[in-house]
Amino acid sequence: MEVNYVKTHDHDLVPHKGFKLINGTHDPDDVDQIYNLEIRDSDVFVVTYPKSGTIWMQQIVLLLEAKGDLTAISKLSKNSNADLIPWIEVIYVARNPKDVIVSYFYFHKLANMLETPKDFDDFFEKFMRGNVFGCSWFEHIKMWHSHQDDMNMLFITYEEMIQDLHSVVERIALFLGKELTDEQMANVVKHSTFNNMKKIPQANYEQVPGELLSHHQGRFMRKGTIGDWKNHFTVAQNEMFDEVFHREMADIPLVFIWDIRDIE
Ligand code: A3P
């Protein structure tokens, strides 16, 4: 899709190649360069809809690479195993979309490049119309889920990570072909828990400058749980959401956990 990138005012979402870019933040030329990106066999892609656990998965992948050594993360050297089987690994993290809405709502208050929502109702409407950065959650997950078998992809849910982080980390290690001792594995898990990541400035976005994130508006590592949507959705919003969810996801065999009490 050809689009004239005309700078209007901040926060505008500008359609570009089937995606929406944030006016003044993303340059379409930079995005176009992604198509020419040289991909190495050893590359791992972490793919998520916003607010689904991106930073969490990045932390785990980095820690697996560093064999659980937190201090080594910053000194990581690139994997030069160019003669690996030519497979690009993709880890997709999906999160129950009701919690995504809530997490995204608060992130809009924090992130200055995103328009501060009038209120939760206003944001809910925009999300349901896919009129947010990242577009429609439903389209995103359906597209990636349907390509699962075409790619070397590991499909993980945020809720599985909450439920049993250790076994998810083991699955990721296996998928990436990483061999760690029990102690190293335990360290990966330890440094990936919500409470520990909250204390790591890089994971909590604390070093991101104030022009980009209004730190006084809240913390990036906010609640890290399942079911906070129950504190925000009205009964009518929940009914409307369920109806759309069942219609859109009818052919997708994905089961989400909507309440932390279901796994405790
Ligand atoms: P909440 O706002 O619900 O707390 P992303 O990195 O894709 O932007 O996702 C951010 C969400 O993941 C936030 O959700 C954040 O708290 C949560 N998160 C990050 N690390 C986590 C962890 N170790 N355990 C649980 N949730 C985590």
Side-chain angles (χ1 to χ4, degrees):
M1 183 187 356
E2 282 307 315
V3 166
N4 289 328
Y5 187 73
V6 181
K7 190 162 172 51
T8 48
H9 55 84
D10 282 348
H11 307 133
D12 274 359
L13 295 175
V14 184
H16 184 70
K17 299 203 165 139
F19 198 67
K20 288 191 176 89
L21 306 182
I22 304 172
N23 194 17
T25 297
H26 302 128
D27 183 337
D29 291 341
D30 290 346
V31 175
D32 290 348
Q33 282 182 18
I34 293 172
Y35 289 91
N36 304 323
L37 196 73
E38 195 184 320
I39 295 171
R40 287 154 305 183
D41 299 343
S42 54
D43 286 343
V44 178
F45 289 83
V46 174
V47 182
T48 62
Y49 186 84
K51 312 316 293 174
S52 302
T54 326
I55 291 283
W56 195 3
M57 186 53 71
Q58 286 172 353
Q59 175 82 351
I60 293 170
V61 171
L62 285 172
L63 280 165
L64 283 170
E65 192 68 40
K67 305 232 180 276
D69 181 355
L70 191 61
T71 54
I73 287 187
S74 55
K75 302 181 219 142
L76 266 186
S77 59
K78 298 262 184 304
N79 186 348
S80 60
N81 247 349
D83 52 0
L84 282 172
I85 306 163
W87 257 173
I88 312 293
E89 282 102 356
V90 177
I91 304 173
Y92 186 97
V93 187
R95 184 180 189 184
N96 98 51
K98 294 183 185 178
D99 283 329
V100 169
I101 299 185
V102 173
S103 181
Y104 212 6
F105 169 67
Y106 284 102
F107 188 66
H108 273 67
K109 293 185 175 196
L110 196 66
N112 294 333
M113 69 291 245
L114 297 167
E115 186 180 17
T116 303
K118 212 160 54 173
D119 51 30
F120 183 73
D121 295 355
D122 176 53
F123 187 73
F124 181 90
E125 293 294 323
K126 286 201 166 101
F127 184 95
M128 294 310 280
R129 279 187 275 116
N131 195 17
V132 288
F133 177 62
C135 303
S136 158
W137 180 90
F138 297 100
E139 296 310 317
H140 195 277
I141 196 145
K142 285 193 288 188
M143 197 272 281
W144 282 96
H145 194 270
S146 66
H147 285 292
Q148 238 189 127
D149 298 332
D150 318 340
M151 299 182 199
N152 189 19
M153 193 192 301
L154 179 67
F155 213 92
I156 297 275
T157 67
Y158 178 97
E159 292 76 24
E160 286 173 300
M161 291 162 76
I162 293 274
Q163 187 169 21
D164 188 350
L165 186 55
H166 199 282
S167 36
V168 172
V169 170
E170 275 178 350
R171 272 170 67 197
I172 300 166
L174 193 69
F175 175 71
L176 297 176
K178 302 282 173 212
E179 284 182 21
L180 276 74
T181 64
D182 289 351
E183 193 193 344
Q184 289 169 335
M185 197 61 100
N187 280 333
V188 174
V189 175
K190 182 173 109 189
H191 297 308
S192 315
T193 62
F194 185 78
N195 284 335
N196 284 336
M197 278 180 63
K198 236 164 83 167
K199 296 180 212 141
I200 305 171
Q202 294 94 320
N204 203 13
Y205 277 12
E206 278 166 33
Q207 277 149 344
V208 175
E211 307 91 71
L212 294 176
L213 290 186
S214 298
H215 294 288
H216 61 279
Q217 291 283 2
R219 291 166 69 92
F220 178 81
M221 300 283 294
R222 201 182 55 89
K223 286 202 172 171
T225 189
I226 307 171
D228 193 32
W229 62 271
K230 293 194 172 182
N231 301 317
H232 296 79
F233 278 40
T234 62
V235 172
Q237 281 170 339
N238 194 33
E239 283 172 4
M240 189 260 210
F241 188 94
D242 285 346
E243 196 191 310
V244 175
F245 184 88
H246 289 126
R247 189 177 61 237
E248 294 280 346
M249 302 292 283
D251 299 328
I252 309 288
L254 262 180
V255 178
F256 283 105
I257 295 167
W258 304 96
D259 191 329
I260 189 81
R261 285 169 300 188
D262 291 342
I263 57 171
E264 280 173 348

